[in-house]
Amino acid sequence: MCTIGGNVATNAGGMCCVKYGVTANYVLGLEVVLADGRVTRVGRNTVKGVAGLDLTRLFVGSEGALGVITEVTLRLVPSPAEPRTVLATFADLQGAGSAVEAISRAGITPSIFEFLDRTTIGAIEALSPLGFESNVGAVLLLQSDDKAAKEDAAALVALCEEAGALDVAVSDDADESHALLEARRLALPALERLGDWLLDDVCVPRARIVDLVRLVERIADDEGLKIGVFGHAGDGNMHPTVIFDGADQGARRAARRAFDRITSAALELGGTVTGEHGIGRLKSSWLTRELDPVASDLHALLKQAFDPKALLNPGVALPR
Ligand SMILES: Cc1cc2nc3c(=O)[nH]c(=O)nc-3n(C[C@H](O)[C@H](O)[C@H](O)COP(=O)(O)OP(=O)(O)OC[C@H]3O[C@@H](n4cnc5c(N)ncnc54)[C@H](O)[C@@H]3O)c2cc1C
């Protein structure tokens, strides 16, 4: 659930971004109220248009720090074809990682391409048993909504099998597809039940997903915490979820340390500190670490130009 303004202000994304891209790809124009009360329209109503700087793109994802969005003009796309869904289980991360690489290289564009790790699978089985065997160490969930979905699904099955999948299920039935996707939908609710939680959001190059998950496993061991990883394998955007006992001061500190170590690992792997959730307050210092000094200065200059009195979301998103 979210508001349209919040969706645009965070440049939100989700499961279908691997094919369709994020919110920004659909925003043609905006009405924005500036910090001094002036109202402006940026962007266009036409399919194409390159007049002036792309102020629309500047406001999308600015997390309310540059202006308040009051109207949005969106691009429409045709409805997708009936999807085919594929669920593949793997004994370990390596197999799932090989499948991710093979699928990414194969020239197929799945509309959903999701990953679940062993901890998340265990949590899902504890909440609502879906029948994953105890030897399952990783799951990939894929969907194609292309006109050639049948051929795509057959190719996805073959690629998962070649990568050593334990089991591959495929469906063209809407109810059955819904049931296969249930595992992904349950990921966060299943982890949330295990205690207090800190949901991270980092994005790494697809070829480094396995390295990220391995690092998260090591961090979980070091800090004595449970950390489930699930997310968008197709674009490398993972959501390591740190579980801890909020009543225990030591566990709270360990959880925060783990969160920071994961965010740092994402940068070291050539990734970014947030793939879709945004910077907010929690990651404002991380933005400064990710940006080079010149880019950091440009952010500060823009904030100063749009909001000289720092009225809009002070301390959020943009470095000062
Ligand atoms: C459990 C959980 C799961 C999430 N999953 C996802 C996910 O899958 N994908 C994803 O992209 N994000 C996700 N998020 C992050 C976030 O909730 C989304 O990006 C969402 O779209 C934000 O919209 P909202 O209406 O909730 O905005 P809010 O949380 O109310 O606001 C978000 C930011 O946008 C600003 N804002 C809100 N409205 C406007 C406006 N009209 N004009 C200017 N600025 C405005 C606010 O000031 C704030 O800085 C998740 C968050 C949580 C807690």
Side-chain angles (χ1 to χ4, degrees):
M1 287 178 291
C2 64
T3 62
I4 295 171
N7 189 298
V8 172
T10 56
N11 193 9
M15 283 207 269
C16 295
C17 292
V18 60
K19 175 171 179 183
Y20 292 100
V22 290
T23 299
N25 298 77
Y26 298 87
V27 180
L28 293 177
L30 297 170
E31 180 188 80
V32 184
V33 181
L34 300 177
D36 61 10
R38 285 181 298 164
V39 179
T40 181
R41 275 184 183 277
V42 294
R44 59 190 202 274
N45 291 324
T46 49
V47 175
K48 281 177 82 180
V50 291
L53 296 176
D54 191 350
L55 295 177
T56 310
R57 194 65 184 81
L58 188 63
F59 283 108
V60 176
S62 62
E63 297 187 37
L66 299 182
V68 179
I69 296 158
T70 46
E71 196 180 293
V72 186
T73 305
L74 293 169
R75 184 162 74 88
L76 298 178
V77 290
S79 300
E82 275 302 309
R84 300 237 167 184
T85 309
V86 174
L87 185 148
T89 59
F90 296 84
D92 53 31
L93 276 174
Q94 200 54 52
S98 304
V100 170
E101 283 193 36
I103 293 165
S104 306
R105 275 198 305 264
I108 308 166
T109 310
S111 48
I112 291 180
F113 191 173
E114 298 288 303
F115 165 85
L116 305 170
D117 78 340
R118 188 186 294 280
T119 303
T120 308
I121 298 161
I124 292 168
E125 278 299 303
L127 170 65
S128 168
L130 298 177
F132 291 120
E133 304 283 345
S134 57
N135 60 343
V136 174
V139 166
L140 290 182
L141 253 167
L142 296 129
Q143 198 168 75
S144 170
D145 63 6
D146 197 77
K147 283 198 187 108
K150 188 176 171 193
E151 291 75 19
D152 281 359
L156 292 170
V157 170
L159 289 164
C160 289
E161 285 174 348
E162 277 163 32
L166 293 170
D167 196 21
V168 187
V170 61
S171 171
D172 63 354
D173 173 81
D175 289 341
E176 216 174 80
S177 284
H178 186 82
L180 292 179
L181 286 177
E182 192 60 11
R184 173 61 179 85
R185 292 203 185 86
L186 284 176
L188 187 57
L191 289 166
E192 278 175 18
R193 295 172 63 243
L194 304 180
D196 294 291
W197 50 281
L198 254 180
L199 172 66
D200 206 343
D201 164 58
V202 291
C203 191
V204 294
R206 278 180 301 213
R208 309 306 302 271
I209 293 173
V210 170
D211 296 327
L212 177 75
V213 180
R214 290 223 169 95
L215 276 167
V216 172
E217 284 174 350
R218 194 180 316 150
I219 293 166
D221 278 352
D222 289 354
E223 303 289 353
L225 295 165
K226 196 177 262 247
I227 308 178
V229 186
F230 63 95
H232 316 301
D235 48 35
N237 185 189
M238 291 289 130
H239 297 303
T241 305
V242 184
I243 311 296
F244 62 101
D245 174 4
D248 176 344
Q249 280 293 334
R252 287 167 76 109
R253 278 196 297 273
R256 185 58 217 220
R257 248 188 337 262
F259 186 89
D260 286 343
R261 286 178 69 185
I262 293 167
T263 313
S264 181
L267 283 182
E268 280 153 27
L269 292 170
T272 170
V273 299
T274 173
E276 59 185 18
H277 289 183
I279 294 295
R281 282 200 177 77
L282 197 59
K283 286 192 172 166
S284 54
S285 63
W286 285 100
L287 179 63
T288 319
R289 277 181 65 172
E290 177 166 332
L291 297 175
D292 75 29
V294 179
S296 213
D297 281 352
L298 287 173
H299 276 69
L301 273 172
L302 283 166
K303 176 68 181 168
Q304 177 64 25
F306 279 89
D307 182 19
K309 293 184 181 157
L311 300 173
L312 299 170
N313 274 355
V316 170
L318 300 180
R320 273 157 296 168

